[in-house]
Amino acid sequence: MKALRGARQAPVPDLAARVAALREVVALAEGRLDPHAVAAARRVIEQADIRLALAPGCTTVALAGATGSGKSSLFNALAGLELSPVGRRRPTTGAAHACVWGDGAAAALLDWLEVPARHRMSRTGTAGGAQDTETPDFDGLVLLDLPDHDSTEVSHRLEVDRLVERVDLMVWVLDPQKYADALVHEHYLRRLARHEPVLLVVLNQVDLLDADSRARCLTDVRRLLREDGLGNVPIVATSTVTGDGLPELRGILAARVAARRAAVERLAADVDAAAERLRTLAGGTGARIDTAAGLDPAAHNRLTDALSDAAGVPAVTAAVAAAYRARAVQAAGWPPARWLRRLRPDPLRRLHLGLGTGRGDDRVRSSLPPPGPGARAVAEAAVRDAAATLVAGLPEPWPTRARAGAVAQAAELPDRLDRAVAGTDLGMAPPAWWRLLGITQWVLTLVAIAGALWLLALAGLGWLRLPAPDPPQVGVFPLPTVLLVGGVLAGWLLAILARRLAALGARRRARRARSRLRAAIETVTEAAVQPVLTERRAYAEMQRALDRALGA
């Protein structure tokens, strides 16, 4: 008894924190793992929330057993009254009976357990408050007599299954004839391997056995329990006829009730079982991954390069360079030649790009041709390769879900890429030198025009045979001639300079546009792998939450 009590005082990790962690697991498992297992875990959470709020000072103990095992007789013996009907050949307990000791508020707890038949006892004695000095203190005990788990009535079996999921401490009553029944071992005991701290096995009716048969029977029961994974569950041999084992059973129950830990241990075992099942479905402990890590730089660059080609970034940067050169010549070129430039379409405006819209406007669309089959196939293959890299080492169902998300994103790539390109500021604002050279060109043009008009005036006077004043000389040349020839020649030379400057500026603007377009494409890259990263994070978060739910 001392060893048993010592074992029951082992600390249980904070149950509320473990239930909260299991709640996180359920939220992450929704839609990812087996819905039946997720629903079962959700029931565990709901049950824990309710049980922890109801009668924390009470301990519910259920006597479960097969027809004829004598559990009702054992129930009556523990209560000290004939409270539950007894029958040896057919099930007589159709609904659970409850016997409550002490003044604790067990009514709400029994309402939740849906147990209608209730009997109230004094702390240690029978109904009415008579004290029994041989009975230990049962204050806070709620003892239940369940229907037979092998009953031919389906409702009886369902009632047993329902209450076995809710009670704090389970006492399985076996008898010498049917202790090896496969139903009790495979359907109940084996499934409760994690519930050793809240299980107790009673071999009843040992008065039917002699000493040697009793020893052999107890040895065989212990063997069967070890095979069920319950090798440490206490076994008590009892007889309601001779009273054998009843004091020991009462002492164990009193110790469990006094410890006030059975409910917590039961719920902790439920959380363990639910979390272990979800962990198995999630691929076991699996690989531990860094949720902050994304694609490695090399893979990120490969994917961005493929998406850039699919988005037509090379064509756009070429159009930026051509548009810069054309606009520079039109702004700073020789004015008479600018009119010819106006007849040529602007490379960027023809693609509906660089119209002053900012990045991120989903309404903007370009006139770029859609990516060809080859470029699109390369982009989709790059997305799949990136997804495969990110989910490498993860167990199912994570890779399958991640790949499905990546494929769905790949279908939207053309539209996303077009919006990214069309919404990018390509940096086509005119530099200051365009205006400076443009003004200079107009000044030179006006000078040339002045010289030409002056010469025309002198020619007109000569044609009319009128006296004409001699124009000023610049060296050996008349000033009007110098103005005309100098203005035209200087404008032509300045136009050549503007073309050279435009070529240099076009290369710089093309590099800047390529950098900005790549930054815009990188947002598409991140969106393309986001479903995969989401699954990675969900997997890692679930593993950490499972660790907390299991008290690790």
Side-chain angles (χ1 to χ4, degrees):
M1 177 67 70
K2 291 181 180 179
L4 178 62
R5 288 182 180 178
R8 296 305 170 222
Q9 297 306 313
V12 177
D14 182 19
L15 182 59
R18 294 180 61 191
V19 172
L22 184 61
R23 188 175 282 109
E24 291 181 34
V25 174
V26 168
L28 292 166
E30 194 71 52
R32 292 185 172 94
L33 302 182
D34 177 41
H36 298 293
V38 175
R42 189 179 295 108
R43 287 196 301 272
V44 168
I45 295 169
E46 294 170 354
Q47 179 173 309
D49 290 341
I50 295 172
R51 180 64 187 93
L52 291 175
L54 290 176
C58 292
T59 301
T60 56
V61 178
L63 300 180
T67 304
S69 62
K71 60 180 177 56
S72 295
S73 298
L74 192 61
F75 176 84
N76 292 335
L78 292 171
L81 291 173
E82 294 294 326
L83 301 179
S84 185
V86 177
R88 295 188 60 85
R89 295 188 177 180
R90 62 182 180 85
T92 56
T93 305
H97 291 257
C99 188
V100 182
W101 276 263
D103 300 325
L109 179 59
L110 289 170
D111 289 341
W112 175 60
L113 294 173
E114 299 177 25
V115 176
R118 310 172 185 182
H119 308 278
R120 191 167 192 84
M121 312 292 287
S122 64
R123 291 185 58 191
T124 59
T126 60
Q131 299 294 311
D132 183 353
T133 57
E134 296 182 358
T135 303
D137 189 354
F138 278 175
D139 184 34
L141 171 63
V142 179
L143 186 65
L144 304 179
D145 181 19
L146 304 189
D148 300 330
H149 66 73
D150 60 349
S151 173
T152 56
E153 293 288 339
V154 175
S155 61
H156 293 184
R157 298 198 299 273
L158 294 177
E159 179 76 351
V160 173
D161 292 345
R162 183 182 66 81
L163 288 172
V164 162
E165 288 187 353
R166 295 190 175 187
V167 296
D168 303 331
L169 178 65
M170 292 165 283
V171 179
W172 289 94
V173 182
L174 308 178
D175 64 87
Q177 286 76 35
K178 294 191 292 184
Y179 68 85
D181 183 19
L183 177 63
V184 69
H185 288 277
E186 295 177 5
H187 187 71
Y188 292 105
L189 294 177
R190 196 163 298 169
R191 297 183 181 183
L192 295 170
R194 277 196 163 271
H195 291 70
E196 273 191 337
V198 291
L199 276 175
L200 177 64
V201 172
V202 171
L203 181 63
N204 198 25
Q205 301 176 357
V206 293
D207 57 286
L208 302 177
L209 303 173
D210 58 34
D212 291 339
S213 298
R214 177 186 298 189
R216 287 194 301 271
C217 190
L218 286 171
T219 300
D220 204 29
V221 170
R222 174 60 64 196
R223 177 186 61 80
L224 292 172
L225 290 177
R226 281 196 301 270
E227 293 176 359
D228 294 335
L230 299 169
N232 296 321
V233 171
I235 302 175
V236 181
T238 63
S239 170
T240 58
V241 175
T242 63
D244 287 351
L246 292 181
E248 181 183 359
L249 178 58
R250 290 190 182 101
I252 292 175
L253 294 180
R256 298 291 184 88
V257 171
R260 300 287 193 266
R261 298 187 60 81
V264 173
E265 290 174 340
R266 167 60 200 260
L267 294 173
D270 289 342
V271 171
D272 280 343
E276 280 292 353
R277 184 180 180 189
L278 292 176
R279 167 157 280 175
T280 300
L281 293 172
T285 54
R288 299 294 169 161
I289 61 174
D290 180 10
T291 56
L295 277 174
D296 63 85
H300 186 276
N301 288 334
R302 286 194 300 271
L303 179 56
T304 303
D305 289 342
L307 295 183
S308 296
D309 290 341
V313 169
V316 174
T317 54
V320 166
Y324 185 89
R325 289 192 297 268
R327 295 177 188 181
V329 170
Q330 189 170 343
W334 193 44
R338 298 182 192 180
W339 302 103
L340 297 176
R341 281 285 179 184
R342 292 181 183 275
L343 301 177
R344 300 180 184 179
D346 185 278
L348 281 181
R349 289 192 174 92
R350 185 174 55 188
L351 297 176
H352 200 69
L353 294 173
L355 301 180
T357 55
R359 185 186 305 173
D361 189 348
D362 289 344
R363 298 168 297 177
V364 177
R365 293 293 186 274
S366 76
S367 297
L368 285 166
R376 184 166 182 168
V378 170
E380 292 178 354
V383 172
R384 289 193 296 271
D385 290 344
T389 300
L390 287 171
V391 299
L394 295 186
E396 290 293 344
W398 315 100
T400 298
R401 285 181 56 86
R403 284 191 293 267
V407 169
Q409 287 292 321
E412 300 179 5
L413 280 179
D415 191 52
R416 288 177 179 269
L417 291 172
D418 187 73
R419 290 202 303 269
V421 171
T424 299
D425 179 6
L426 298 175
M428 293 300 290
W433 69 264
W434 286 10
R435 183 174 180 82
L436 177 62
L437 292 187
I439 293 173
T440 305
Q441 285 283 27
W442 278 111
V443 170
L444 294 173
T445 300
L446 292 175
V447 168
I449 291 173
L453 292 176
W454 195 344
L455 290 174
L456 285 174
L458 292 174
L461 290 174
W463 183 73
L464 294 173
R465 307 271 183 186
L466 295 174
D470 292 332
Q473 296 291 118
V474 179
V476 297
F477 300 102
L479 180 59
T481 303
V482 172
L483 292 177
L484 174 60
V485 175
V488 172
L489 183 60
W492 180 68
L493 292 175
L494 195 59
I496 293 176
L497 176 62
R499 286 179 178 274
R500 296 293 177 86
L501 292 176
L504 293 174
R507 287 193 289 270
R508 287 196 299 268
R509 293 298 176 96
R511 288 194 297 270
R512 184 189 303 173
R514 184 182 298 109
S515 176
R516 293 182 178 184
L517 287 168
R518 187 174 181 85
I521 297 301
E522 284 180 346
T523 64
V524 181
T525 300
E526 294 168 1
V529 298
Q530 190 57 46
V532 187
L533 294 175
T534 298
E535 294 305 315
R536 274 171 55 92
R537 282 193 294 269
Y539 172 80
E541 290 170 8
M542 179 179 287
Q543 290 294 340
R544 288 195 293 268
L546 283 168
D547 287 342
R548 295 195 303 272
L550 291 168

